[in-house]
Amino acid sequence: MDLGIVDICPTPPNGTQADAFRNAVDLAQRAEALGIKHYWLAEHHGSAAVASHAPEILIEHVASATQTIRVGSGAVLLNHYSPLKVAEQFRTLHALHPGRIDLGVGRAFAGPVADIALQRHRDGRRVDDHADQVFELLSWLTGTMPPGHAFASLDLAPDVPGWPEMLLLGSSQSSPHLAGQLGLPYVFAGFISPQGAVPALASYRRSFRPSQVVGLEKPHAILAIHVVCADTTEEAERLAMPVRHMYATLSSGKLERRLSTPEQAIAHFGKVISAENDEWPRFVIGDPARVASVLERMIEQTRPDEIMIQDLITDHGSRARSHALIGVRT
């Protein structure tokens, strides 16, 4: 089964965002050497704890430092942007690195201040036009804007053969239906809504209609999971403490400037929290055998075509080791 990585570019607790960018290049090069298929950069705003605020720039940075691995977004938050501008950015990336660029799109909110700051019009009103935006973006990318559309007379640059692969990402029960109706590959964020993975991917397969524009003859489902792997389960549990601390602070309405170290997170909770034994845990934590066992159960229930791995391990060496252990066992 193909394996990919989604990188949020965690800022090292005692480092800078520039360190996070260097780490991303190193991890992508290591992933390429392991034969991992995708390396995606996420989009987040409102916190210096992560550095993946501009995936369209980081994609070029990583793609230029690698040779064969597919590099993309996981995801561009389309609710904040013009579909035309996103299409121009990613067609440019495709022109620079043909056959290697993925455009994962989704929608999310970054908080009341960041959501308004990201918008051109700041009256605070929100319009749910996500389906229209996705259709428009797909039409721009592929050069298939319907003749009667208001934008049909506009030529899109750069004018190069082909286009980046577009995928729809989501964590709700509405996004799989949209992906299926448009004939797009679909990625479910299992680390956001673990219990929703099984019904969402089943809904996607039921909804899927092949599209001549996309060229996908059958559903292509990807399951994204948060995984922390180490040589021992005890070490993996320790490495997972910063992300537990992050979720705890987010639930209290705080945005930390940096992710904690494992030791700081352990001090906050007063202990190391054990890996969950839930059927669908938010975090898959353990040694290679334990991680493989949990992933096998998830794969059996959802039958994905690919797996994407996310993590927020703050030590770079431990993060690289986790990716290597997962890559060997998957």
Side-chain angles (χ1 to χ4, degrees):
M1 176 173 293
D2 286 329
L3 178 68
I5 293 170
V6 180
D7 191 0
I8 300 179
C9 294
T11 306
N14 299 313
T16 67
Q17 283 79 39
D19 296 319
F21 300 150
R22 284 188 287 270
N23 289 344
V25 169
D26 179 63
L27 290 172
Q29 291 171 338
R30 292 171 183 262
E32 185 173 70
L34 288 167
I36 290 173
K37 182 179 179 180
H38 303 279
Y39 198 91
W40 290 353
L41 289 307
E43 178 179 346
H44 286 267
H45 300 280
S47 174
V50 298
S52 58
H53 306 131
E56 64 278 6
I57 297 175
L58 292 176
I59 290 167
E60 165 57 23
H61 183 55
V62 171
S64 293
T66 52
Q67 300 296 323
T68 58
I69 195 168
R70 296 189 64 91
V71 187
S73 57
V76 165
L77 304 182
L78 191 57
N79 51 305
H80 296 308
Y81 308 117
S82 154
L84 171 60
K85 184 60 175 177
V86 175
E88 288 177 331
Q89 289 170 340
F90 277 80
R91 282 185 67 92
T92 300
L93 288 168
H94 169 73
L96 293 168
H97 307 282
R100 293 184 57 208
I101 302 300
D102 296 326
L103 170 53
V105 297
R107 58 177 169 176
F109 300 104
V113 176
D115 285 340
I116 299 300
L118 285 164
Q119 300 296 328
R120 174 64 182 87
H121 300 288
R122 297 174 177 175
D123 56 13
R125 292 181 296 177
R126 292 176 178 171
V127 177
D128 186 5
D129 58 352
H130 184 60
D132 292 337
Q133 280 195 302
V134 172
F135 174 78
E136 184 182 322
L137 175 56
L138 179 61
S139 300
W140 285 127
L141 281 178
T142 58
T144 57
M145 190 67 72
H149 196 281
F151 299 148
S153 62
L154 185 62
D155 291 329
L156 190 67
D159 185 11
V160 295
W163 49 81
E165 181 173 10
M166 183 171 163
L167 309 94
L168 191 63
L169 284 70
S171 59
S172 71
Q173 297 303 311
S174 61
S175 52
H177 179 76
L178 177 59
Q181 289 296 302
L182 293 175
L184 289 168
Y186 179 65
V187 186
F188 184 80
F191 50 84
I192 295 177
S193 178
Q195 300 300 326
V198 172
L201 293 185
S203 173
Y204 166 61
R205 292 187 177 97
R206 287 195 304 270
S207 304
F208 185 82
R209 302 292 183 271
S211 163
Q212 290 185 345
V213 172
V214 177
L216 197 63
E217 296 182 356
K218 61 181 181 179
H220 191 89
I222 301 177
L223 178 63
I225 310 170
H226 193 107
V227 183
V228 178
C229 191
D231 292 288
T232 66
T233 294
E234 291 74 18
E235 175 61 7
E237 289 170 339
R238 187 186 75 85
L239 293 173
M241 291 303 293
V243 72
R244 293 189 185 280
H245 184 229
M246 184 198 77
Y247 272 87
T249 55
L250 282 175
S251 66
S252 64
K254 298 178 182 178
L255 283 173
E256 300 290 346
R257 286 197 55 79
R258 291 289 187 274
L259 294 170
S260 63
T261 64
E263 290 68 31
Q264 290 168 337
I266 293 167
H268 171 84
F269 289 103
K271 63 178 181 177
V272 175
I273 299 175
S274 300
E276 292 86 348
N277 291 314
D278 301 353
E279 186 175 23
W280 274 84
R282 170 168 282 183
F283 311 121
V284 177
I285 301 167
D287 62 19
R290 188 179 195 279
V291 165
S293 176
V294 177
L295 291 182
E296 286 169 4
R297 184 174 68 239
M298 292 177 165
I299 290 169
E300 182 179 355
Q301 293 185 31
T302 56
R303 298 179 290 110
D305 299 284
E306 302 181 46
I307 292 287
M308 297 293 295
I309 299 300
Q310 184 199 74
D311 68 76
L312 281 171
I313 299 172
T314 52
D315 176 74
H316 181 63
S318 298
R319 195 164 180 232
R321 178 64 176 163
S322 179
H323 293 173
L325 291 171
I326 298 166
V328 169
R329 292 299 294 255
T330 305

